[in-house]
Amino acid sequence: MDLLDRITIDPAIRFGKPCVRGTRLTVGDVLGTLAAGCSETELLEDFPQLSHEDVLACMAFAAERERTLMVSTGVG
């Protein structure tokens, strides 16, 4: 399974935010928790429905979104 297959977008779940498959945890929830200083071990203890691969999938999703981000320079 490709890591990105672990991330789903469903308008009926969390307002269409990207979520870890089978959960209501958003990519932003996972990455925000890690960015706040929580270790992956602590995250996985707090959310036993997540796996290491789910955390990697969140990072891969964010990296892919960053690569495809369109930047407007405001120059017309």
Side-chain angles (χ1 to χ4, degrees):
M1 173 188 282
D2 181 33
L3 282 176
L4 295 179
D5 291 340
R6 293 176 173 271
I7 306 300
T8 61
I9 298 174
D10 181 341
I13 300 173
R14 297 293 300 268
F15 304 103
K17 292 180 180 179
C19 292
V20 176
R21 181 176 299 283
T23 76
R24 295 180 60 81
L25 294 169
T26 67
V27 170
D29 293 335
V30 172
L31 297 180
T33 300
L34 293 171
C38 184
S39 72
E40 182 180 344
T41 301
E42 292 169 322
L43 177 71
L44 296 176
E45 287 172 359
D46 289 344
F47 300 98
Q49 67 270 40
L50 291 179
S51 68
H52 171 69
E53 289 77 16
D54 292 331
V55 176
L56 293 178
C58 289
M59 290 190 273
F61 182 87
E64 183 61 28
R65 185 168 271 190
E66 174 66 19
R67 275 191 287 281
T68 60
L69 181 66
M70 298 293 289
V71 178
S72 173
T73 61
V75 176

Short mmCIF file of all heavy atoms in Angstrom, two decimals:
data_model
loop_
_atom_site.label_atom_id
_atom_site.label_comp_id
_atom_site.label_asym_id
_atom_site.label_seq_id
_atom_site.Cartn_x
_atom_site.Cartn_y
_atom_site.Cartn_z
N MET A 1 0.84 -1.19 0.00
CA MET A 1 0.00 0.00 0.00
C MET A 1 0.88 1.24 0.00
O MET A 1 1.81 1.36 0.78
CB MET A 1 -0.91 0.00 1.24
CG MET A 1 -1.69 1.28 1.41
SD MET A 1 -2.59 1.45 2.95
CE MET A 1 -3.99 0.43 2.64
N ASP A 2 0.58 2.14 -0.90
CA ASP A 2 1.25 3.43 -0.94
C ASP A 2 0.86 4.21 0.32
O ASP A 2 -0.29 4.17 0.76
CB ASP A 2 0.81 4.17 -2.20
CG ASP A 2 1.48 5.51 -2.35
OD1 ASP A 2 2.64 5.66 -1.95
OD2 ASP A 2 0.83 6.43 -2.89
N LEU A 3 1.83 4.92 0.90
CA LEU A 3 1.54 5.68 2.11
C LEU A 3 0.37 6.64 1.92
O LEU A 3 -0.46 6.80 2.82
CB LEU A 3 2.78 6.47 2.56
CG LEU A 3 3.86 5.69 3.27
CD1 LEU A 3 5.06 6.59 3.55
CD2 LEU A 3 3.35 5.08 4.56
N LEU A 4 0.29 7.27 0.77
CA LEU A 4 -0.78 8.25 0.55
C LEU A 4 -2.16 7.61 0.51
O LEU A 4 -3.17 8.30 0.71
CB LEU A 4 -0.51 9.07 -0.70
CG LEU A 4 0.73 9.97 -0.63
CD1 LEU A 4 0.91 10.72 -1.93
CD2 LEU A 4 0.65 10.92 0.54
N ASP A 5 -2.23 6.30 0.30
CA ASP A 5 -3.52 5.60 0.36
C ASP A 5 -4.09 5.58 1.77
O ASP A 5 -5.27 5.29 1.96
CB ASP A 5 -3.38 4.17 -0.15
CG ASP A 5 -3.12 4.10 -1.65
OD1 ASP A 5 -3.42 5.09 -2.34
OD2 ASP A 5 -2.61 3.06 -2.10
N ARG A 6 -3.26 5.87 2.76
CA ARG A 6 -3.70 5.89 4.15
C ARG A 6 -4.43 7.19 4.50
O ARG A 6 -4.99 7.31 5.58
CB ARG A 6 -2.51 5.71 5.10
CG ARG A 6 -1.89 4.34 5.02
CD ARG A 6 -0.64 4.26 5.90
NE ARG A 6 -0.15 2.93 5.96
CZ ARG A 6 -0.53 2.01 6.85
NH1 ARG A 6 -1.43 2.31 7.77
NH2 ARG A 6 -0.02 0.81 6.83
N ILE A 7 -4.41 8.16 3.60
CA ILE A 7 -5.05 9.46 3.84
C ILE A 7 -6.30 9.55 2.96
O ILE A 7 -6.24 9.29 1.76
CB ILE A 7 -4.09 10.62 3.52
CG1 ILE A 7 -2.77 10.48 4.28
CG2 ILE A 7 -4.75 11.97 3.81
CD1 ILE A 7 -2.90 10.47 5.80
N THR A 8 -7.41 9.90 3.58
CA THR A 8 -8.67 10.02 2.83
C THR A 8 -9.25 11.42 3.00
O THR A 8 -8.99 12.10 4.00
CB THR A 8 -9.71 9.00 3.31
OG1 THR A 8 -9.99 9.23 4.70
CG2 THR A 8 -9.20 7.57 3.14
N ILE A 9 -10.03 11.81 2.01
CA ILE A 9 -10.74 13.09 2.07
C ILE A 9 -12.19 12.79 1.77
O ILE A 9 -12.53 12.31 0.69
CB ILE A 9 -10.16 14.10 1.07
CG1 ILE A 9 -8.70 14.40 1.42
CG2 ILE A 9 -11.00 15.38 1.06
CD1 ILE A 9 -7.99 15.28 0.42
N ASP A 10 -13.04 13.04 2.76
CA ASP A 10 -14.48 12.77 2.64
C ASP A 10 -15.22 13.99 3.17
O ASP A 10 -15.05 14.35 4.35
CB ASP A 10 -14.83 11.52 3.46
CG ASP A 10 -16.30 11.14 3.39
OD1 ASP A 10 -17.15 11.98 3.01
OD2 ASP A 10 -16.60 9.98 3.73
N PRO A 11 -16.01 14.66 2.34
CA PRO A 11 -16.71 15.86 2.80
C PRO A 11 -17.58 15.63 4.03
O PRO A 11 -17.88 16.57 4.76
CB PRO A 11 -17.58 16.25 1.59
CG PRO A 11 -16.99 15.56 0.43
CD PRO A 11 -16.29 14.34 0.95
N ALA A 12 -17.98 14.38 4.28
CA ALA A 12 -18.83 14.08 5.43
C ALA A 12 -18.04 13.86 6.72
O ALA A 12 -18.63 13.69 7.78
CB ALA A 12 -19.67 12.83 5.13
N ILE A 13 -16.72 13.84 6.63
CA ILE A 13 -15.88 13.62 7.82
C ILE A 13 -14.96 14.81 8.00
O ILE A 13 -14.19 15.16 7.10
CB ILE A 13 -15.05 12.32 7.67
CG1 ILE A 13 -15.99 11.12 7.53
CG2 ILE A 13 -14.12 12.14 8.87
CD1 ILE A 13 -15.29 9.82 7.22
N ARG A 14 -15.06 15.44 9.16
CA ARG A 14 -14.22 16.58 9.54
C ARG A 14 -14.18 17.66 8.46
O ARG A 14 -13.15 18.23 8.16
CB ARG A 14 -12.81 16.12 9.90
CG ARG A 14 -12.65 15.19 11.09
CD ARG A 14 -12.97 15.82 12.43
NE ARG A 14 -12.17 16.96 12.77
CZ ARG A 14 -11.03 16.93 13.46
NH1 ARG A 14 -10.55 15.80 13.89
NH2 ARG A 14 -10.39 18.04 13.72
N PHE A 15 -15.36 17.91 7.88
CA PHE A 15 -15.52 18.99 6.89
C PHE A 15 -14.62 18.81 5.67
O PHE A 15 -14.21 19.78 5.04
CB PHE A 15 -15.27 20.36 7.53
CG PHE A 15 -16.14 20.61 8.73
CD1 PHE A 15 -15.62 20.49 10.01
CD2 PHE A 15 -17.48 20.92 8.58
CE1 PHE A 15 -16.42 20.70 11.12
CE2 PHE A 15 -18.28 21.15 9.69
CZ PHE A 15 -17.75 21.03 10.97
N GLY A 16 -14.28 17.56 5.35
CA GLY A 16 -13.48 17.30 4.16
C GLY A 16 -11.99 17.47 4.34
O GLY A 16 -11.24 17.43 3.36
N LYS A 17 -11.56 17.65 5.58
CA LYS A 17 -10.11 17.74 5.82
C LYS A 17 -9.48 16.37 5.61
O LYS A 17 -10.12 15.34 5.88
CB LYS A 17 -9.83 18.23 7.24
CG LYS A 17 -10.25 19.66 7.47
CD LYS A 17 -9.94 20.08 8.89
CE LYS A 17 -10.37 21.52 9.11
NZ LYS A 17 -10.10 21.95 10.49
N PRO A 18 -8.24 16.31 5.16
CA PRO A 18 -7.58 15.02 4.99
C PRO A 18 -7.41 14.32 6.33
O PRO A 18 -6.91 14.92 7.29
CB PRO A 18 -6.23 15.35 4.36
CG PRO A 18 -6.13 16.83 4.33
CD PRO A 18 -7.41 17.43 4.74
N CYS A 19 -7.86 13.06 6.39
CA CYS A 19 -7.82 12.27 7.63
C CYS A 19 -7.09 10.96 7.41
O CYS A 19 -7.02 10.44 6.29
CB CYS A 19 -9.24 11.94 8.09
SG CYS A 19 -10.20 13.35 8.66
N VAL A 20 -6.57 10.42 8.50
CA VAL A 20 -5.99 9.08 8.46
C VAL A 20 -7.14 8.10 8.25
O VAL A 20 -8.17 8.16 8.93
CB VAL A 20 -5.24 8.76 9.77
CG1 VAL A 20 -4.72 7.34 9.76
CG2 VAL A 20 -4.11 9.76 9.99
N ARG A 21 -6.99 7.22 7.26
CA ARG A 21 -8.03 6.26 6.89
C ARG A 21 -8.57 5.53 8.13
O ARG A 21 -7.81 5.06 8.96
CB ARG A 21 -7.49 5.24 5.90
CG ARG A 21 -8.52 4.20 5.45
CD ARG A 21 -7.96 3.27 4.39
NE ARG A 21 -7.56 3.96 3.17
CZ ARG A 21 -8.40 4.41 2.23
NH1 ARG A 21 -9.69 4.25 2.36
NH2 ARG A 21 -7.94 5.02 1.15
N GLY A 22 -9.89 5.47 8.23
CA GLY A 22 -10.53 4.74 9.31
C GLY A 22 -10.60 5.49 10.63
O GLY A 22 -11.04 4.94 11.63
N THR A 23 -10.15 6.76 10.64
CA THR A 23 -10.19 7.56 11.86
C THR A 23 -10.80 8.93 11.52
O THR A 23 -11.07 9.23 10.37
CB THR A 23 -8.79 7.79 12.46
OG1 THR A 23 -8.09 8.77 11.68
CG2 THR A 23 -7.99 6.51 12.55
N ARG A 24 -10.99 9.71 12.56
CA ARG A 24 -11.40 11.09 12.38
C ARG A 24 -10.25 12.03 12.69
O ARG A 24 -10.44 13.23 12.87
CB ARG A 24 -12.62 11.39 13.26
CG ARG A 24 -13.85 10.58 12.85
CD ARG A 24 -15.05 10.87 13.71
NE ARG A 24 -15.47 12.26 13.67
CZ ARG A 24 -16.21 12.82 12.72
NH1 ARG A 24 -16.60 12.10 11.69
NH2 ARG A 24 -16.54 14.10 12.79
N LEU A 25 -9.04 11.49 12.75
CA LEU A 25 -7.85 12.29 13.02
C LEU A 25 -7.34 12.89 11.72
O LEU A 25 -7.07 12.17 10.76
CB LEU A 25 -6.75 11.44 13.66
CG LEU A 25 -7.06 10.92 15.05
CD1 LEU A 25 -6.04 9.88 15.46
CD2 LEU A 25 -7.06 12.08 16.04
N THR A 26 -7.22 14.22 11.69
CA THR A 26 -6.76 14.87 10.47
C THR A 26 -5.24 14.86 10.40
O THR A 26 -4.54 14.71 11.42
CB THR A 26 -7.24 16.33 10.40
OG1 THR A 26 -6.61 17.09 11.42
CG2 THR A 26 -8.76 16.43 10.51
N VAL A 27 -4.75 15.05 9.19
CA VAL A 27 -3.31 15.20 8.99
C VAL A 27 -2.82 16.35 9.86
O VAL A 27 -1.77 16.26 10.50
CB VAL A 27 -3.00 15.43 7.49
CG1 VAL A 27 -1.55 15.84 7.29
CG2 VAL A 27 -3.33 14.19 6.68
N GLY A 28 -3.58 17.43 9.89
CA GLY A 28 -3.22 18.58 10.73
C GLY A 28 -3.16 18.25 12.20
O GLY A 28 -2.29 18.76 12.92
N ASP A 29 -4.09 17.41 12.68
CA ASP A 29 -4.06 16.99 14.09
C ASP A 29 -2.75 16.28 14.40
O ASP A 29 -2.09 16.56 15.41
CB ASP A 29 -5.21 16.02 14.41
CG ASP A 29 -6.59 16.64 14.33
OD1 ASP A 29 -6.71 17.86 14.49
OD2 ASP A 29 -7.56 15.87 14.12
N VAL A 30 -2.39 15.34 13.54
CA VAL A 30 -1.19 14.53 13.76
C VAL A 30 0.06 15.40 13.71
O VAL A 30 0.89 15.38 14.62
CB VAL A 30 -1.11 13.36 12.74
CG1 VAL A 30 0.22 12.63 12.85
CG2 VAL A 30 -2.28 12.40 12.95
N LEU A 31 0.19 16.17 12.63
CA LEU A 31 1.39 16.99 12.47
C LEU A 31 1.46 18.11 13.51
O LEU A 31 2.54 18.43 14.00
CB LEU A 31 1.45 17.56 11.06
CG LEU A 31 1.57 16.52 9.95
CD1 LEU A 31 1.62 17.20 8.59
CD2 LEU A 31 2.76 15.62 10.15
N GLY A 32 0.33 18.68 13.85
CA GLY A 32 0.30 19.72 14.87
C GLY A 32 0.74 19.19 16.23
O GLY A 32 1.45 19.88 16.97
N THR A 33 0.32 17.98 16.56
CA THR A 33 0.72 17.37 17.82
C THR A 33 2.22 17.14 17.85
O THR A 33 2.90 17.42 18.85
CB THR A 33 -0.04 16.04 18.04
OG1 THR A 33 -1.44 16.34 18.07
CG2 THR A 33 0.36 15.37 19.33
N LEU A 34 2.76 16.64 16.75
CA LEU A 34 4.22 16.43 16.67
C LEU A 34 4.96 17.77 16.72
O LEU A 34 5.98 17.89 17.41
CB LEU A 34 4.58 15.67 15.40
CG LEU A 34 4.08 14.23 15.32
CD1 LEU A 34 4.32 13.66 13.93
CD2 LEU A 34 4.75 13.36 16.38
N ALA A 35 4.45 18.77 16.02
CA ALA A 35 5.10 20.08 16.00
C ALA A 35 5.08 20.75 17.37
O ALA A 35 5.97 21.55 17.69
CB ALA A 35 4.42 20.98 14.97
N ALA A 36 4.09 20.41 18.18
CA ALA A 36 3.99 20.98 19.53
C ALA A 36 4.99 20.33 20.49
O ALA A 36 5.07 20.73 21.65
CB ALA A 36 2.57 20.82 20.05
N GLY A 37 5.73 19.33 20.00
CA GLY A 37 6.75 18.73 20.84
C GLY A 37 6.46 17.33 21.33
O GLY A 37 7.27 16.72 22.03
N CYS A 38 5.30 16.81 21.00
CA CYS A 38 4.95 15.44 21.38
C CYS A 38 5.78 14.48 20.54
O CYS A 38 5.93 14.68 19.33
CB CYS A 38 3.46 15.22 21.13
SG CYS A 38 2.83 13.63 21.65
N SER A 39 6.34 13.47 21.15
CA SER A 39 7.11 12.48 20.39
C SER A 39 6.14 11.54 19.67
O SER A 39 4.97 11.43 20.03
CB SER A 39 8.02 11.67 21.31
OG SER A 39 7.25 10.78 22.10
N GLU A 40 6.66 10.86 18.66
CA GLU A 40 5.82 9.89 17.96
C GLU A 40 5.36 8.80 18.91
O GLU A 40 4.21 8.36 18.84
CB GLU A 40 6.56 9.27 16.78
CG GLU A 40 5.70 8.30 16.01
CD GLU A 40 6.40 7.66 14.84
OE1 GLU A 40 7.44 8.16 14.39
OE2 GLU A 40 5.87 6.64 14.35
N THR A 41 6.23 8.39 19.81
CA THR A 41 5.86 7.35 20.79
C THR A 41 4.68 7.81 21.64
O THR A 41 3.72 7.07 21.83
CB THR A 41 7.06 7.00 21.68
OG1 THR A 41 8.12 6.53 20.85
CG2 THR A 41 6.70 5.96 22.72
N GLU A 42 4.74 9.06 22.11
CA GLU A 42 3.63 9.60 22.91
C GLU A 42 2.35 9.69 22.08
O GLU A 42 1.27 9.37 22.57
CB GLU A 42 3.99 10.99 23.44
CG GLU A 42 5.10 10.97 24.47
CD GLU A 42 5.62 12.36 24.79
OE1 GLU A 42 5.71 13.21 23.88
OE2 GLU A 42 5.94 12.60 25.97
N LEU A 43 2.49 10.14 20.84
CA LEU A 43 1.33 10.24 19.95
C LEU A 43 0.67 8.88 19.77
O LEU A 43 -0.55 8.76 19.87
CB LEU A 43 1.77 10.82 18.60
CG LEU A 43 0.69 10.94 17.53
CD1 LEU A 43 -0.29 12.05 17.88
CD2 LEU A 43 1.32 11.19 16.18
N LEU A 44 1.48 7.87 19.51
CA LEU A 44 0.93 6.53 19.29
C LEU A 44 0.32 5.94 20.57
O LEU A 44 -0.62 5.16 20.49
CB LEU A 44 2.00 5.60 18.72
CG LEU A 44 2.54 6.00 17.33
CD1 LEU A 44 3.66 5.07 16.92
CD2 LEU A 44 1.44 6.03 16.31
N GLU A 45 0.85 6.32 21.72
CA GLU A 45 0.25 5.88 22.99
C GLU A 45 -1.09 6.57 23.21
O GLU A 45 -2.04 5.94 23.67
CB GLU A 45 1.19 6.18 24.15
CG GLU A 45 2.40 5.27 24.22
CD GLU A 45 3.41 5.70 25.26
OE1 GLU A 45 3.20 6.72 25.96
OE2 GLU A 45 4.45 5.01 25.39
N ASP A 46 -1.16 7.85 22.87
CA ASP A 46 -2.40 8.61 23.06
C ASP A 46 -3.48 8.23 22.05
O ASP A 46 -4.67 8.35 22.34
CB ASP A 46 -2.13 10.12 22.96
CG ASP A 46 -1.35 10.66 24.15
OD1 ASP A 46 -1.27 9.97 25.19
OD2 ASP A 46 -0.81 11.78 24.03
N PHE A 47 -3.06 7.80 20.87
CA PHE A 47 -3.99 7.44 19.80
C PHE A 47 -3.63 6.05 19.28
O PHE A 47 -3.00 5.92 18.22
CB PHE A 47 -3.96 8.47 18.66
CG PHE A 47 -4.34 9.85 19.11
CD1 PHE A 47 -3.37 10.79 19.42
CD2 PHE A 47 -5.67 10.20 19.23
CE1 PHE A 47 -3.73 12.06 19.84
CE2 PHE A 47 -6.04 11.47 19.65
CZ PHE A 47 -5.07 12.40 19.96
N PRO A 48 -4.02 5.00 20.01
CA PRO A 48 -3.61 3.65 19.64
C PRO A 48 -4.16 3.18 18.29
O PRO A 48 -3.67 2.19 17.75
CB PRO A 48 -4.15 2.79 20.79
CG PRO A 48 -5.19 3.61 21.46
CD PRO A 48 -4.82 5.04 21.23
N GLN A 49 -5.12 3.91 17.74
CA GLN A 49 -5.63 3.54 16.42
C GLN A 49 -4.64 3.93 15.31
O GLN A 49 -4.79 3.50 14.16
CB GLN A 49 -7.00 4.16 16.16
CG GLN A 49 -7.04 5.68 16.04
CD GLN A 49 -7.25 6.39 17.36
OE1 GLN A 49 -6.71 6.02 18.40
NE2 GLN A 49 -8.04 7.46 17.33
N LEU A 50 -3.64 4.74 15.64
CA LEU A 50 -2.62 5.14 14.67
C LEU A 50 -1.45 4.16 14.67
O LEU A 50 -1.15 3.54 15.69
CB LEU A 50 -2.08 6.53 14.99
CG LEU A 50 -3.01 7.71 14.81
CD1 LEU A 50 -2.30 9.00 15.20
CD2 LEU A 50 -3.51 7.80 13.39
N SER A 51 -0.77 4.09 13.54
CA SER A 51 0.44 3.29 13.43
C SER A 51 1.58 4.21 12.97
O SER A 51 1.35 5.34 12.53
CB SER A 51 0.25 2.16 12.41
OG SER A 51 0.12 2.71 11.11
N HIS A 52 2.79 3.69 13.06
CA HIS A 52 3.95 4.43 12.57
C HIS A 52 3.74 4.79 11.09
O HIS A 52 4.05 5.92 10.68
CB HIS A 52 5.21 3.58 12.76
CG HIS A 52 6.41 4.14 12.10
ND1 HIS A 52 7.04 5.30 12.54
CD2 HIS A 52 7.11 3.72 11.02
CE1 HIS A 52 8.07 5.55 11.76
NE2 HIS A 52 8.14 4.62 10.83
N GLU A 53 3.20 3.87 10.31
CA GLU A 53 2.97 4.12 8.90
C GLU A 53 1.96 5.25 8.69
O GLU A 53 2.06 6.00 7.72
CB GLU A 53 2.50 2.84 8.19
CG GLU A 53 3.58 1.79 8.05
CD GLU A 53 3.88 1.03 9.35
OE1 GLU A 53 3.05 1.08 10.31
OE2 GLU A 53 4.94 0.39 9.41
N ASP A 54 0.98 5.38 9.59
CA ASP A 54 0.01 6.48 9.49
C ASP A 54 0.71 7.82 9.69
O ASP A 54 0.41 8.80 9.00
CB ASP A 54 -1.10 6.33 10.52
CG ASP A 54 -2.01 5.14 10.25
OD1 ASP A 54 -2.18 4.76 9.08
OD2 ASP A 54 -2.54 4.59 11.24
N VAL A 55 1.64 7.87 10.64
CA VAL A 55 2.39 9.11 10.88
C VAL A 55 3.23 9.44 9.65
O VAL A 55 3.26 10.59 9.20
CB VAL A 55 3.26 8.98 12.15
CG1 VAL A 55 4.13 10.22 12.34
CG2 VAL A 55 2.40 8.74 13.39
N LEU A 56 3.89 8.44 9.09
CA LEU A 56 4.66 8.66 7.86
C LEU A 56 3.75 9.13 6.73
O LEU A 56 4.14 10.01 5.94
CB LEU A 56 5.38 7.37 7.44
CG LEU A 56 6.50 6.88 8.35
CD1 LEU A 56 7.07 5.58 7.80
CD2 LEU A 56 7.57 7.93 8.52
N ALA A 57 2.55 8.58 6.65
CA ALA A 57 1.61 8.98 5.61
C ALA A 57 1.22 10.45 5.77
O ALA A 57 1.09 11.17 4.77
CB ALA A 57 0.36 8.09 5.65
N CYS A 58 1.04 10.91 6.99
CA CYS A 58 0.71 12.31 7.23
C CYS A 58 1.85 13.21 6.75
O CYS A 58 1.62 14.24 6.11
CB CYS A 58 0.42 12.55 8.71
SG CYS A 58 -1.13 11.84 9.26
N MET A 59 3.08 12.81 7.05
CA MET A 59 4.23 13.60 6.60
C MET A 59 4.35 13.58 5.08
O MET A 59 4.62 14.61 4.46
CB MET A 59 5.51 13.10 7.27
CG MET A 59 5.54 13.42 8.75
SD MET A 59 7.13 13.09 9.52
CE MET A 59 6.94 11.37 9.94
N ALA A 60 4.12 12.41 4.48
CA ALA A 60 4.20 12.30 3.02
C ALA A 60 3.10 13.15 2.36
O ALA A 60 3.35 13.80 1.34
CB ALA A 60 4.07 10.83 2.60
N PHE A 61 1.91 13.15 2.94
CA PHE A 61 0.81 13.94 2.40
C PHE A 61 1.17 15.42 2.44
O PHE A 61 0.98 16.14 1.45
CB PHE A 61 -0.48 13.67 3.19
CG PHE A 61 -1.66 14.43 2.65
CD1 PHE A 61 -2.43 13.88 1.63
CD2 PHE A 61 -1.99 15.68 3.14
CE1 PHE A 61 -3.52 14.58 1.12
CE2 PHE A 61 -3.08 16.38 2.63
CZ PHE A 61 -3.84 15.83 1.62
N ALA A 62 1.68 15.88 3.57
CA ALA A 62 2.05 17.29 3.71
C ALA A 62 3.18 17.65 2.74
O ALA A 62 3.16 18.74 2.14
CB ALA A 62 2.46 17.59 5.15
N ALA A 63 4.14 16.77 2.57
CA ALA A 63 5.25 17.02 1.65
C ALA A 63 4.75 17.11 0.22
O ALA A 63 5.16 18.00 -0.54
CB ALA A 63 6.30 15.93 1.78
N GLU A 64 3.84 16.22 -0.15
CA GLU A 64 3.27 16.25 -1.50
C GLU A 64 2.47 17.52 -1.73
O GLU A 64 2.54 18.14 -2.78
CB GLU A 64 2.40 15.01 -1.74
CG GLU A 64 1.85 14.91 -3.13
CD GLU A 64 2.90 14.82 -4.22
OE1 GLU A 64 4.02 14.34 -3.96
OE2 GLU A 64 2.60 15.25 -5.35
N ARG A 65 1.70 17.92 -0.74
CA ARG A 65 0.91 19.15 -0.86
C ARG A 65 1.84 20.36 -1.01
O ARG A 65 1.57 21.26 -1.78
CB ARG A 65 0.00 19.31 0.36
CG ARG A 65 -0.93 20.50 0.23
CD ARG A 65 -1.99 20.48 1.26
NE ARG A 65 -3.14 19.73 0.76
CZ ARG A 65 -4.31 19.69 1.36
NH1 ARG A 65 -4.51 20.34 2.48
NH2 ARG A 65 -5.30 19.00 0.85
N GLU A 66 2.93 20.34 -0.27
CA GLU A 66 3.92 21.43 -0.36
C GLU A 66 4.52 21.49 -1.77
O GLU A 66 4.71 22.56 -2.33
CB GLU A 66 5.01 21.24 0.68
CG GLU A 66 6.15 22.21 0.61
CD GLU A 66 5.77 23.65 0.91
OE1 GLU A 66 4.71 23.88 1.52
OE2 GLU A 66 6.53 24.55 0.52
N ARG A 67 4.83 20.33 -2.34
CA ARG A 67 5.42 20.29 -3.69
C ARG A 67 4.47 20.84 -4.74
O ARG A 67 4.90 21.40 -5.74
CB ARG A 67 5.80 18.86 -4.06
CG ARG A 67 7.14 18.43 -3.57
CD ARG A 67 7.58 17.12 -4.20
NE ARG A 67 6.86 15.97 -3.69
CZ ARG A 67 7.11 15.36 -2.54
NH1 ARG A 67 8.07 15.80 -1.77
NH2 ARG A 67 6.41 14.31 -2.16
N THR A 68 3.17 20.65 -4.53
CA THR A 68 2.20 21.06 -5.54
C THR A 68 1.54 22.41 -5.24
O THR A 68 0.66 22.84 -5.97
CB THR A 68 1.10 19.99 -5.71
OG1 THR A 68 0.43 19.81 -4.45
CG2 THR A 68 1.69 18.68 -6.15
N LEU A 69 1.98 23.07 -4.19
CA LEU A 69 1.41 24.36 -3.79
C LEU A 69 1.70 25.42 -4.86
O LEU A 69 2.82 25.59 -5.29
CB LEU A 69 2.00 24.81 -2.45
CG LEU A 69 1.52 26.11 -1.87
CD1 LEU A 69 0.03 25.98 -1.50
CD2 LEU A 69 2.32 26.47 -0.64
N MET A 70 0.65 26.08 -5.27
CA MET A 70 0.79 27.18 -6.22
C MET A 70 0.99 28.46 -5.44
O MET A 70 0.19 28.80 -4.57
CB MET A 70 -0.46 27.30 -7.09
CG MET A 70 -0.74 26.07 -7.95
SD MET A 70 0.50 25.83 -9.22
CE MET A 70 0.09 27.16 -10.30
N VAL A 71 2.03 29.18 -5.76
CA VAL A 71 2.33 30.42 -5.05
C VAL A 71 2.01 31.60 -5.96
O VAL A 71 2.47 31.67 -7.09
CB VAL A 71 3.83 30.46 -4.64
CG1 VAL A 71 4.16 31.78 -3.96
CG2 VAL A 71 4.16 29.28 -3.75
N SER A 72 1.20 32.52 -5.43
CA SER A 72 0.88 33.73 -6.15
C SER A 72 1.87 34.82 -5.74
O SER A 72 2.00 35.13 -4.56
CB SER A 72 -0.54 34.17 -5.83
OG SER A 72 -0.79 35.43 -6.40
N THR A 73 2.55 35.40 -6.72
CA THR A 73 3.53 36.44 -6.42
C THR A 73 2.90 37.82 -6.37
O THR A 73 3.53 38.77 -5.92
CB THR A 73 4.64 36.46 -7.48
OG1 THR A 73 4.06 36.73 -8.75
CG2 THR A 73 5.39 35.13 -7.51
N GLY A 74 1.67 37.94 -6.83
CA GLY A 74 1.01 39.23 -6.83
C GLY A 74 1.45 40.11 -7.99
O GLY A 74 1.02 41.24 -8.12
N VAL A 75 2.33 39.59 -8.83
CA VAL A 75 2.78 40.33 -9.98
C VAL A 75 1.82 40.07 -11.14
O VAL A 75 1.52 38.93 -11.44
CB VAL A 75 4.24 39.92 -10.37
CG1 VAL A 75 4.67 40.63 -11.63
CG2 VAL A 75 5.17 40.18 -9.22
N GLY A 76 1.33 41.10 -11.74
CA GLY A 76 0.32 40.91 -12.76
C GLY A 76 0.78 41.26 -14.06
O GLY A 76 0.86 41.31 -15.10
#
